[in-house]
PDB file of all heavy atoms in Angstrom:
ATOM      1  N   GLU A 159       1.985  26.553  -1.870  1.00 96.00           N
ATOM      2  CA  GLU A 159       1.849  27.509  -0.699  1.00 96.00           C
ATOM      3  C   GLU A 159       0.435  27.646  -0.355  1.00 96.00           C
ATOM      4  O   GLU A 159       0.024  27.772   0.881  1.00 96.00           O
ATOM      5  CB  GLU A 159       2.463  28.893  -1.051  1.00 96.00           C
ATOM      6  CG  GLU A 159       2.382  29.848   0.059  1.00 96.00           C
ATOM      7  CD  GLU A 159       2.933  31.238  -0.298  1.00 96.00           C
ATOM      8  OE1 GLU A 159       3.152  31.495  -1.464  1.00 96.00           O
ATOM      9  OE2 GLU A 159       3.332  32.004   0.594  1.00 96.00           O
ATOM     10  N   LEU A 160      -0.590  27.731  -1.322  1.00 96.00           N
ATOM     11  CA  LEU A 160      -1.895  27.818  -1.069  1.00 96.00           C
ATOM     12  C   LEU A 160      -2.445  26.566  -0.261  1.00 96.00           C
ATOM     13  O   LEU A 160      -3.138  26.770   0.708  1.00 96.00           O
ATOM     14  CB  LEU A 160      -2.698  27.992  -2.259  1.00 96.00           C
ATOM     15  CG  LEU A 160      -2.447  29.083  -3.264  1.00 96.00           C
ATOM     16  CD1 LEU A 160      -3.197  29.032  -4.598  1.00 96.00           C
ATOM     17  CD2 LEU A 160      -2.698  30.457  -2.432  1.00 96.00           C
ATOM     18  N   ASP A 161      -2.027  25.342  -0.657  1.00 95.00           N
ATOM     19  CA  ASP A 161      -2.422  24.244   0.149  1.00 95.00           C
ATOM     20  C   ASP A 161      -1.776  24.244   1.632  1.00 95.00           C
ATOM     21  O   ASP A 161      -2.452  23.853   2.517  1.00 95.00           O
ATOM     22  CB  ASP A 161      -1.910  23.004  -0.627  1.00 95.00           C
ATOM     23  CG  ASP A 161      -2.886  22.558  -1.632  1.00 95.00           C
ATOM     24  OD1 ASP A 161      -4.015  22.708  -1.491  1.00 95.00           O
ATOM     25  OD2 ASP A 161      -2.276  22.145  -2.750  1.00 95.00           O
ATOM     26  N   VAL A 162      -0.542  24.575   1.620  1.00 96.00           N
ATOM     27  CA  VAL A 162       0.124  24.797   2.973  1.00 96.00           C
ATOM     28  C   VAL A 162      -0.662  25.725   3.923  1.00 96.00           C
ATOM     29  O   VAL A 162      -0.913  25.380   4.995  1.00 96.00           O
ATOM     30  CB  VAL A 162       1.562  25.222   2.885  1.00 96.00           C
ATOM     31  CG1 VAL A 162       2.168  25.495   4.241  1.00 96.00           C
ATOM     32  CG2 VAL A 162       2.271  23.985   2.152  1.00 96.00           C
ATOM     33  N   VAL A 163      -0.971  26.856   3.400  1.00 96.00           N
ATOM     34  CA  VAL A 163      -1.667  27.890   4.166  1.00 96.00           C
ATOM     35  C   VAL A 163      -3.025  27.299   4.651  1.00 96.00           C
ATOM     36  O   VAL A 163      -3.441  27.503   5.756  1.00 96.00           O
ATOM     37  CB  VAL A 163      -1.744  29.243   3.519  1.00 96.00           C
ATOM     38  CG1 VAL A 163      -2.829  30.119   4.135  1.00 96.00           C
ATOM     39  CG2 VAL A 163      -0.480  29.842   3.247  1.00 96.00           C
ATOM     40  N   ARG A 164      -3.744  26.651   3.746  1.00 96.00           N
ATOM     41  CA  ARG A 164      -5.093  26.156   3.985  1.00 96.00           C
ATOM     42  C   ARG A 164      -4.997  25.101   5.149  1.00 96.00           C
ATOM     43  O   ARG A 164      -5.873  25.188   6.050  1.00 96.00           O
ATOM     44  CB  ARG A 164      -5.672  25.627   2.703  1.00 96.00           C
ATOM     45  CG  ARG A 164      -7.114  24.979   2.867  1.00 96.00           C
ATOM     46  CD  ARG A 164      -7.587  24.184   1.636  1.00 96.00           C
ATOM     47  NE  ARG A 164      -6.761  23.099   1.234  1.00 96.00           N
ATOM     48  CZ  ARG A 164      -6.870  21.894   1.917  1.00 96.00           C
ATOM     49  NH1 ARG A 164      -7.724  21.666   2.847  1.00 96.00           N
ATOM     50  NH2 ARG A 164      -6.064  20.953   1.495  1.00 96.00           N
ATOM     51  N   LEU A 165      -4.053  24.255   4.934  1.00 97.00           N
ATOM     52  CA  LEU A 165      -3.935  23.241   5.976  1.00 97.00           C
ATOM     53  C   LEU A 165      -3.537  23.657   7.407  1.00 97.00           C
ATOM     54  O   LEU A 165      -4.113  23.259   8.376  1.00 97.00           O
ATOM     55  CB  LEU A 165      -2.952  22.026   5.610  1.00 97.00           C
ATOM     56  CG  LEU A 165      -3.381  21.157   4.409  1.00 97.00           C
ATOM     57  CD1 LEU A 165      -2.339  20.300   3.958  1.00 97.00           C
ATOM     58  CD2 LEU A 165      -4.465  20.128   5.152  1.00 97.00           C
ATOM     59  N   GLU A 166      -2.584  24.663   7.334  1.00 96.00           N
ATOM     60  CA  GLU A 166      -2.368  25.343   8.747  1.00 96.00           C
ATOM     61  C   GLU A 166      -3.456  26.072   9.263  1.00 96.00           C
ATOM     62  O   GLU A 166      -3.572  26.056  10.536  1.00 96.00           O
ATOM     63  CB  GLU A 166      -1.030  26.240   8.434  1.00 96.00           C
ATOM     64  CG  GLU A 166       0.230  25.508   7.989  1.00 96.00           C
ATOM     65  CD  GLU A 166       0.827  24.651   9.042  1.00 96.00           C
ATOM     66  OE1 GLU A 166       0.497  24.797  10.358  1.00 96.00           O
ATOM     67  OE2 GLU A 166       1.693  23.797   8.803  1.00 96.00           O
ATOM     68  N   GLU A 167      -4.210  26.751   8.543  1.00 96.00           N
ATOM     69  CA  GLU A 167      -5.430  27.432   8.938  1.00 96.00           C
ATOM     70  C   GLU A 167      -6.401  26.344   9.552  1.00 96.00           C
ATOM     71  O   GLU A 167      -7.053  26.618  10.615  1.00 96.00           O
ATOM     72  CB  GLU A 167      -6.091  28.249   7.954  1.00 96.00           C
ATOM     73  CG  GLU A 167      -5.241  29.487   7.484  1.00 96.00           C
ATOM     74  CD  GLU A 167      -5.319  30.579   8.629  1.00 96.00           C
ATOM     75  OE1 GLU A 167      -6.377  30.900   9.198  1.00 96.00           O
ATOM     76  OE2 GLU A 167      -4.245  31.125   8.958  1.00 96.00           O
ATOM     77  N   LYS A 168      -6.505  25.318   8.886  1.00 97.00           N
ATOM     78  CA  LYS A 168      -7.407  24.242   9.216  1.00 97.00           C
ATOM     79  C   LYS A 168      -6.931  23.644  10.563  1.00 97.00           C
ATOM     80  O   LYS A 168      -7.820  23.364  11.440  1.00 97.00           O
ATOM     81  CB  LYS A 168      -7.609  23.071   8.225  1.00 97.00           C
ATOM     82  CG  LYS A 168      -8.598  22.110   8.493  1.00 97.00           C
ATOM     83  CD  LYS A 168     -10.076  22.678   8.520  1.00 97.00           C
ATOM     84  CE  LYS A 168     -11.173  21.595   8.586  1.00 97.00           C
ATOM     85  NZ  LYS A 168     -11.206  20.782   7.368  1.00 97.00           N
ATOM     86  N   ARG A 169      -5.691  23.473  10.676  1.00 97.00           N
ATOM     87  CA  ARG A 169      -5.136  22.826  11.822  1.00 97.00           C
ATOM     88  C   ARG A 169      -5.382  23.750  13.156  1.00 97.00           C
ATOM     89  O   ARG A 169      -5.898  23.295  14.207  1.00 97.00           O
ATOM     90  CB  ARG A 169      -3.586  22.756  11.762  1.00 97.00           C
ATOM     91  CG  ARG A 169      -2.838  22.214  13.019  1.00 97.00           C
ATOM     92  CD  ARG A 169      -1.273  22.305  12.818  1.00 97.00           C
ATOM     93  NE  ARG A 169      -0.577  21.663  13.818  1.00 97.00           N
ATOM     94  CZ  ARG A 169       0.680  21.585  13.815  1.00 97.00           C
ATOM     95  NH1 ARG A 169       1.500  22.210  12.867  1.00 97.00           N
ATOM     96  NH2 ARG A 169       1.326  20.885  14.799  1.00 97.00           N
ATOM     97  N   MET A 170      -5.284  25.097  12.901  1.00 97.00           N
ATOM     98  CA  MET A 170      -5.539  26.099  14.052  1.00 97.00           C
ATOM     99  C   MET A 170      -7.059  26.023  14.440  1.00 97.00           C
ATOM    100  O   MET A 170      -7.293  26.030  15.662  1.00 97.00           O
ATOM    101  CB  MET A 170      -5.204  27.477  13.503  1.00 97.00           C
ATOM    102  CG  MET A 170      -5.113  28.509  14.696  1.00 97.00           C
ATOM    103  SD  MET A 170      -3.647  28.193  15.669  1.00 97.00           S
ATOM    104  CE  MET A 170      -2.433  29.055  14.708  1.00 97.00           C
ATOM    105  N   THR A 171      -7.947  25.893  13.502  1.00 96.00           N
ATOM    106  CA  THR A 171      -9.357  25.925  13.768  1.00 96.00           C
ATOM    107  C   THR A 171      -9.743  24.523  14.490  1.00 96.00           C
ATOM    108  O   THR A 171     -10.511  24.638  15.526  1.00 96.00           O
ATOM    109  CB  THR A 171     -10.180  25.885  12.437  1.00 96.00           C
ATOM    110  OG1 THR A 171      -9.977  27.132  11.764  1.00 96.00           O
ATOM    111  CG2 THR A 171     -11.724  25.779  12.803  1.00 96.00           C
ATOM    112  N   VAL A 172      -9.150  23.525  13.988  1.00 98.00           N
ATOM    113  CA  VAL A 172      -9.342  22.117  14.778  1.00 98.00           C
ATOM    114  C   VAL A 172      -8.779  22.253  16.199  1.00 98.00           C
ATOM    115  O   VAL A 172      -9.418  21.694  17.208  1.00 98.00           O
ATOM    116  CB  VAL A 172      -8.597  21.035  13.920  1.00 98.00           C
ATOM    117  CG1 VAL A 172      -8.673  19.731  14.802  1.00 98.00           C
ATOM    118  CG2 VAL A 172      -9.480  20.742  12.661  1.00 98.00           C
ATOM    119  N   LEU A 173      -7.604  22.906  16.500  1.00 98.00           N
ATOM    120  CA  LEU A 173      -7.110  23.080  17.749  1.00 98.00           C
ATOM    121  C   LEU A 173      -8.015  23.793  18.662  1.00 98.00           C
ATOM    122  O   LEU A 173      -8.219  23.447  19.802  1.00 98.00           O
ATOM    123  CB  LEU A 173      -5.731  23.604  17.639  1.00 98.00           C
ATOM    124  CG  LEU A 173      -4.963  23.901  18.965  1.00 98.00           C
ATOM    125  CD1 LEU A 173      -4.840  22.706  19.788  1.00 98.00           C
ATOM    126  CD2 LEU A 173      -3.627  24.590  18.719  1.00 98.00           C
TER     127      LEU A 173
END
Side-chain angles (χ1 to χ4, degrees):
E159 184 179 17
L160 297 176
D161 281 320
V162 168
V163 169
R164 180 186 62 80
L165 282 167
E166 293 290 344
E167 288 289 315
K168 186 67 174 288
R169 179 188 191 182
M170 193 73 79
T171 298
V172 169
L173 178 57

